[in-house]
Amino acid sequence: MKKIGYLCVFVMLGLAHCEENYKKDIGSGPLVIRYPENNEKMCIDEEVQLKCTSWRFGVEANNLGPWKTIPEECDDYVEDYMLGKGYKLDLEMVSKEAGAFAASHELVNDGKDIWVFDVDETLLSNLPYYSEHGFGLELFDHIEFDKWVEKGIAPAIQASLELYQEVANLGYKIFLLTGRSIRHKGVTIENLVRSGFHDWEKLIMRNPEDHAKLATIFKSEKRNEMEKGGFRIVGNSGDQWSDLLGSSMSIRSFKLPNPMYYIP
Amino acid sequence: MKKIGYLCVFVMLGLAHCEENYKKDIGSGPLVIRYPENNEKMCIDEEVQLKCTSWRFGVEANNLGPWKTIPEECDDYVEDYMLGKGYKLDLEMVSKEAGAFAASHELVNDGKDIWVFDVDETLLSNLPYYSEHGFGLELFDHIEFDKWVEKGIAPAIQASLELYQEVANLGYKIFLLTGRSIRHKGVTIENLVRSGFHDWEKLIMRNPEDHAKLATIFKSEKRNEMEKGGFRIVGNSGDQWSDLLGSSMSIRSFKLPNPMYYIP
């Protein structure tokens, strides 16, 4: 082990930081790409690489307790993952699996088969914001993030856009269930439409009385209402476990990758 | 990308295939270690490495539909992961998180706070068996696997043994809930005790009438009975999502890594 020492991550995993790939990764938004100033910055100790991969596995398997920022030692790791091929591949994988399930499931076709999508880091990418805020290394700043949301320029996550269109074409009604406040309703609709999302059945956002609720509770309540309305929740796509777990769960849930932040 | 071409995994991730480390990884069992015949066999195309990592995250985040064998292109990847540092680190991470939660949770201390453990790939490691059967590349062979189980020599997963002792010391009652048939009861108890597991409250195995049930159903029914018995299921550790999901779920679940097989 000692003999190997430091290895560059972009060499190890072949993460290509080329602008062309990157633009394709996160849609057509006005993303500001931060390149490392020199290659040395991108070099990650192999032990750190292993530990951060383990941490990311803990995140995605829902093994970790609530966390507020990414581990300090994983800052380069998360940046590399988000800007490299790993994130893109993971998004494509989950979208492909969801699409295969959606197609294999037998719809009743009475307009009551539904697919639930979360919005942030599921349909829309806030990577342009997070790339300017340490990829999860900085403590979440509501005020700054709200300013970003109000710009309405979050790009589509390409793989999710394809899934969205696929399930719509299959005949599922689409419900958007987001933790965003109803205050951002106008700009959220504009942003979604501008990014290629159309014809959803309902956009559900937090009302003032929902703000104190944990996302798991808020989203479970809303899914409950869907079921009471006679809808059958076949699929649910979200980047947070709080999008997926709780009551009135979907038949199959699809966890999109997100090593940048955690919402309980 | 093309410039980089093939890279050796054991160089890329510093996976140490030394006997000393390996023995420590999976306990004291009579494991037969298969070394690659030459280094070339261990070289994995970087694209394959990325794709298999993506597949593994799909497994661990429960995004994949039922699968019977690992993807053929991921055979070396899974072998490297299981025999290298990655698997060990992931086991330690999940055990550490579970232990921290167990310690932070306030017990009622009436003997009704319980922790549920699965057995295979959770407390006991069948890696010696799977290392002889392609690490999940071969279709599961009940007869061959039963012969292995009857040997009763599966080593303890060290990180799980530590968690087991920790939760026992904290005052949790321990329930072992396994998909193993009651036919293997004697040898399972012997194997567990020989590997350092003692003083569980109850070992629950499949009776003949349970054999046709999916693991999710069987395990949910058994957790239901625990709750009816007045027990509070605080934690649940298992390597399959079917150990953890369903009804009567624990307050917190802990998914141990297992890219070798899937049980619905």
Side-chain angles (χ1 to χ4, degrees):
Chain A
M1 300 295 294
K2 287 272 165 59
K3 281 181 213 158
I4 299 167
Y6 288 75
L7 292 169
C8 290
V9 161
F10 75 96
V11 172
M12 285 166 67
L13 296 181
L15 303 174
H17 291 276
C18 65
E19 196 169 1
E20 193 180 85
N21 271 359
Y22 186 46
K23 272 187 182 156
K24 201 176 148 214
D25 282 359
I26 60 153
S28 54
L31 182 65
V32 181
I33 301 168
R34 295 192 313 136
Y35 287 95
E37 279 164 30
N38 55 56
N39 281 344
E40 272 172 47
K41 186 185 168 289
M42 299 305 291
C43 289
I44 297 177
D45 184 300
E46 56 173 336
E47 292 287 329
V48 171
Q49 175 78 13
L50 274 165
K51 274 166 80 174
C52 295
T53 302
S54 198
W55 171 80
R56 185 160 69 86
F57 155 75
V59 170
E60 300 303 346
N62 201 24
N63 284 334
L64 305 188
W67 50 279
K68 287 191 188 302
T69 58
I70 64 172
E72 212 162 316
E73 63 181 345
C74 298
D75 59 348
D76 285 346
Y77 174 90
V78 173
E79 178 172 348
D80 283 349
Y81 171 74
M82 294 303 296
L83 299 187
K85 283 190 169 181
Y87 181 53
K88 181 171 181 282
L89 270 176
D90 287 353
L91 288 169
E92 287 169 355
M93 164 77 79
V94 65
S95 180
K96 196 182 121 210
E97 288 293 325
F101 168 67
S104 72
H105 180 80
E106 207 167 315
L107 278 81
V108 180
N109 269 325
D110 56 355
K112 297 288 192 182
D113 303 297
I114 67 175
W115 199 282
V116 178
F117 285 98
D118 168 55
V119 172
D120 292 296
E121 264 56 69
T122 300
L123 298 184
L124 298 180
S125 172
N126 298 305
L127 196 44
Y129 173 85
Y130 281 97
S131 70
E132 295 292 316
H133 292 84
F135 296 91
L137 194 66
E138 291 177 19
L139 213 55
F140 184 69
D141 183 331
H142 281 280
I143 295 166
E144 281 302 304
F145 187 72
D146 277 5
K147 282 186 205 163
W148 156 256
V149 165
E150 278 301 318
K151 288 182 185 169
I153 54 172
I157 289 176
Q158 189 57 33
S160 296
L161 180 57
E162 285 161 24
L163 174 66
Y164 184 99
Q165 288 161 342
E166 196 177 342
V167 299
N169 290 340
L170 285 166
Y172 292 91
K173 298 281 182 205
I174 292 175
F175 280 61
L176 308 184
L177 177 50
T178 171
R180 285 191 180 193
S181 165
I182 195 90
R183 285 186 290 114
H184 303 301
K185 188 171 178 182
V187 75
T188 298
I189 292 173
E190 272 171 45
N191 197 157
L192 283 164
V193 170
R194 192 185 299 163
S195 300
F197 299 98
H198 303 281
D199 302 323
W200 56 81
E201 184 73 11
K202 202 170 176 184
L203 168 64
I204 305 167
M205 308 182 80
R206 276 186 205 260
N207 283 315
E209 67 268 24
D210 300 316
H211 282 290
K213 291 173 189 164
L214 289 179
T216 313
I217 305 294
F218 166 66
K219 296 200 167 185
S220 290
E221 284 176 2
K222 294 300 167 185
R223 286 196 304 269
N224 225 262
E225 288 171 19
M226 293 172 204
E227 288 192 337
K228 280 185 187 152
F231 292 100
R232 292 174 298 276
I233 309 171
V234 179
N236 186 0
S237 297
D239 66 296
Q240 299 289 322
W241 280 100
S242 54
D243 296 329
L244 310 173
L245 297 177
S247 55
S248 299
M249 282 166 61
S250 53
I251 297 176
R252 281 274 301 273
S253 289
F254 297 91
K255 167 72 177 73
L256 280 73
N258 186 356
M260 299 189 299
Y261 59 85
Y262 174 87
I263 298 173
Chain B
M1 298 295 296
K2 286 273 165 58
K3 281 180 211 157
I4 297 166
Y6 288 75
L7 292 169
C8 290
V9 162
F10 75 94
V11 172
M12 286 166 65
L13 296 181
L15 304 174
H17 291 276
C18 66
E19 196 169 2
E20 193 179 86
N21 272 0
Y22 185 45
K23 273 187 182 156
K24 200 175 150 215
D25 282 358
I26 62 152
S28 52
L31 181 65
V32 181
I33 302 170
R34 293 192 313 138
Y35 287 95
E37 278 165 29
N38 55 56
N39 282 345
E40 273 171 50
K41 186 185 168 291
M42 300 304 291
C43 289
I44 296 178
D45 183 300
E46 55 172 339
E47 293 287 329
V48 172
Q49 174 78 11
L50 274 165
K51 275 166 77 174
C52 296
T53 302
S54 198
W55 172 80
R56 186 161 68 85
F57 278 92
V59 170
E60 300 304 348
N62 201 26
N63 284 334
L64 305 189
W67 49 278
K68 286 191 188 302
T69 58
I70 64 171
E72 213 162 314
E73 64 181 344
C74 298
D75 60 346
D76 286 346
Y77 174 90
V78 172
E79 177 172 349
D80 283 350
Y81 170 74
M82 293 303 296
L83 300 185
K85 282 190 170 183
Y87 182 52
K88 182 172 181 281
L89 270 176
D90 287 353
L91 289 169
E92 286 169 355
M93 165 76 80
V94 65
S95 181
K96 196 182 121 210
E97 288 293 324
F101 168 67
S104 72
H105 180 79
E106 207 167 314
L107 278 81
V108 181
N109 269 325
D110 56 356
K112 297 287 192 180
D113 303 296
I114 68 174
W115 199 281
V116 178
F117 285 97
D118 167 56
V119 172
D120 292 298
E121 265 55 70
T122 299
L123 298 183
L124 298 179
S125 172
N126 298 305
L127 196 44
Y129 173 84
Y130 282 97
S131 70
E132 296 292 317
H133 292 83
F135 297 91
L137 193 66
E138 293 177 17
L139 213 55
F140 184 70
D141 183 332
H142 281 281
I143 295 165
E144 281 301 304
F145 187 72
D146 277 4
K147 282 185 203 162
W148 156 255
V149 165
E150 277 302 317
K151 288 182 184 169
I153 53 171
I157 289 177
Q158 189 58 32
S160 296
L161 180 56
E162 285 162 23
L163 174 66
Y164 183 99
Q165 288 161 341
E166 196 177 342
V167 299
N169 290 340
L170 284 165
Y172 292 90
K173 298 281 182 204
I174 291 174
F175 279 61
L176 307 184
L177 178 50
T178 171
R180 284 190 180 193
S181 165
I182 197 90
R183 285 185 292 114
H184 302 301
K185 188 171 179 182
V187 75
T188 298
I189 291 174
E190 272 171 45
N191 196 156
L192 284 164
V193 169
R194 193 186 297 164
S195 299
F197 299 97
H198 303 281
D199 302 322
W200 56 80
E201 185 74 10
K202 202 170 175 183
L203 167 64
I204 305 168
M205 309 183 80
R206 277 187 203 258
N207 283 315
E209 68 268 23
D210 300 316
H211 283 289
K213 291 173 189 163
L214 288 179
T216 313
I217 305 293
F218 165 66
K219 296 200 167 185
S220 290
E221 284 176 2
K222 295 300 168 186
R223 286 197 304 269
N224 225 262
E225 289 172 18
M226 294 173 204
E227 288 192 338
K228 281 185 187 153
F231 292 100
R232 292 174 298 275
I233 308 171
V234 180
N236 186 0
S237 297
D239 66 295
Q240 299 289 323
W241 280 101
S242 55
D243 296 330
L244 310 172
L245 296 177
S247 55
S248 300
M249 282 166 62
S250 54
I251 298 177
R252 281 273 301 272
S253 289
F254 297 91
K255 168 72 177 73
L256 280 73
N258 186 357
M260 300 189 298
Y261 59 87
Y262 173 87
I263 298 173

